[in-house]
């Protein structure tokens, strides 16, 4: 029983393309997050939704757009991909501001 | 300077040794998290604490709010403990949901 799942696990694409990463949690949590982990393994928050409402929107290029169709899903759409977007993207969820549960990550490679 | 500093950056130990990883932070916090990232990339939340000490199996986490410092201890270390250990803080100001991460400590336990 996967608690937080992400698809795809790997994504290889060309510069300029548009791509989406999907995230789903079956924990009944009300808050979901997107994190970016760069090549130096440093984690940084990108977005967070609480009950489908955007509550954290860090300094992220507006080519990145999160979408939360319901409390269990938070998708990340990226337009006009650039080389610097290559990273591992992690989705996570929590009940309010308690302990967070992480997805397995999506490794994005932009060529 | 990062708001969250971890030391050491890298740590190599022999199986059975007692391990300590330190985390210092510069802001007021409402909670501190310790995370473990395995070589395969998955991230697991180990502890969330706001005062005192928590213990789970061979892992112990302590926090001193006045000194803005936390430690993660591993007793009787084992090769399977080899991973990156990440400290993250939730600031007491601003968004109650945002975590700021340290750069991680790479622990290698040799048999």
């Amino acid at each position: 029983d996967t608690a937080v799942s992400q698809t795809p696990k790997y994504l290889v694409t060309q510069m300029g393309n548009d791509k989406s990463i999907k995230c789903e949690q079956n924990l009944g949590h009300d808050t979901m997050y997107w994190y970016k982990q760069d090549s130096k393994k440093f984690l940084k928050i990108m977005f967070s939704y609480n009950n489908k409402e955007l509550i954290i929107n860090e300094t992220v290029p507006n080519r990145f757009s999160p979408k939360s169709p319901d409390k269990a899903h938070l998708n990340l759409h990226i337009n006009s991909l650039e080389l610097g977007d290559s990273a591992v993207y992690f989705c996570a969820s929590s009940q309010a501001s308690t302990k967070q549960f992480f997805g397995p990550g999506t490794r994005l490679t932009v060529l | 300077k990062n708001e969250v500093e971890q030391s050491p950056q890298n740590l190599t130990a022999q199986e059975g040794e007692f391990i300590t990883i330190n985390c210092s932070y510069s802001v007021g916090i409402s909670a501190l998290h310790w995370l473990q990232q395995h070589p395969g990339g998955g991230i697991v939340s180990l502890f969330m604490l706001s005062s005192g000490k928590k213990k789970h199996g061979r892992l112990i986490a302590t926090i001193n709010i006045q000194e803005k410092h936390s430690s993660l201890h591993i007793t009787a270390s084992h090769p399977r403990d080899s991973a990156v250990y990440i400290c993250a803080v939730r600031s007491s100001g601003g968004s109650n949901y945002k975590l700021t991460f340290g750069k991680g400590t790479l622990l290698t336990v040799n048999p």
Side-chain angles (χ1 to χ4, degrees):
Chain A
D1 289 350
T2 305
V4 183
S5 59
Q6 293 179 229
T7 53
K9 191 168 171 61
Y10 299 96
L11 185 51
V12 181
T13 188
Q14 299 285 335
M15 269 175 51
N17 283 350
D18 303 338
K19 290 293 177 187
S20 292
I21 307 172
K22 296 188 176 182
C23 178
E24 176 180 2
Q25 54 95 4
N26 63 6
L27 298 166
H29 289 164
D30 59 5
T31 307
M32 296 184 73
Y33 310 80
W34 275 112
Y35 293 97
K36 180 179 180 181
Q37 186 173 46
D38 61 24
S39 57
K40 294 183 179 175
K41 303 288 188 182
F42 188 50
L43 273 164
K44 198 163 182 187
I45 181 77
M46 298 174 71
F47 302 104
S48 178
Y49 272 74
N50 175 259
N51 284 315
K52 293 172 50 181
E53 181 185 342
L54 183 65
I55 56 170
I56 297 175
N57 185 357
E58 287 295 288
T59 310
V60 175
N62 57 15
R63 298 182 294 103
F64 290 77
S65 53
K67 284 190 171 52
S68 181
D70 55 58
K71 274 175 37 173
H73 296 85
L74 180 61
N75 303 323
L76 183 64
H77 189 75
I78 316 170
N79 288 329
S80 303
L81 277 154
E82 299 178 358
L83 293 175
D85 298 332
S86 295
V88 181
Y89 293 84
F90 285 95
C91 176
S93 74
S94 68
Q95 184 57 32
S97 55
T98 60
K99 179 175 164 178
Q100 294 187 18
F101 291 78
F102 287 79
T106 295
R107 182 175 294 278
L108 171 65
T109 303
V110 182
L111 303 173
Chain B
K1 187 174 165 21
N2 202 28
E3 286 179 356
V4 182
E5 296 285 344
Q6 288 185 233
S7 64
Q9 204 171 332
N10 294 282
L11 181 54
T12 300
Q14 287 300 121
E15 185 172 355
E17 284 184 6
F18 181 82
I19 304 289
T20 295
I21 298 170
N22 296 300
C23 175
S24 296
Y25 51 91
S26 56
V27 296
I29 68 167
S30 55
L32 182 143
H33 296 243
W34 281 102
L35 310 170
Q36 181 192 53
Q37 185 167 26
H38 281 284
I43 298 174
V44 174
S45 181
L46 299 174
F47 295 103
M48 186 182 84
L49 63 167
S50 53
S51 65
K53 177 178 167 178
K54 285 192 176 180
K55 185 174 190 289
H56 186 257
R58 294 180 296 106
L59 301 177
I60 303 166
T62 64
I63 188 167
N64 184 319
I65 296 291
Q66 286 74 29
E67 293 186 5
K68 292 188 165 62
H69 181 268
S70 175
S71 293
L72 176 68
H73 305 286
I74 305 175
T75 61
S77 60
H78 190 275
R80 65 174 174 266
D81 297 326
S82 298
V84 175
Y85 292 84
I86 303 168
C87 172
V89 302
R90 178 154 44 87
S91 300
S92 51
S95 171
N96 200 32
Y97 295 82
K98 178 183 170 185
L99 290 182
T100 302
F101 296 85
K103 293 188 176 179
T105 295
L106 175 60
L107 172 65
T108 304
V109 182
N110 294 317

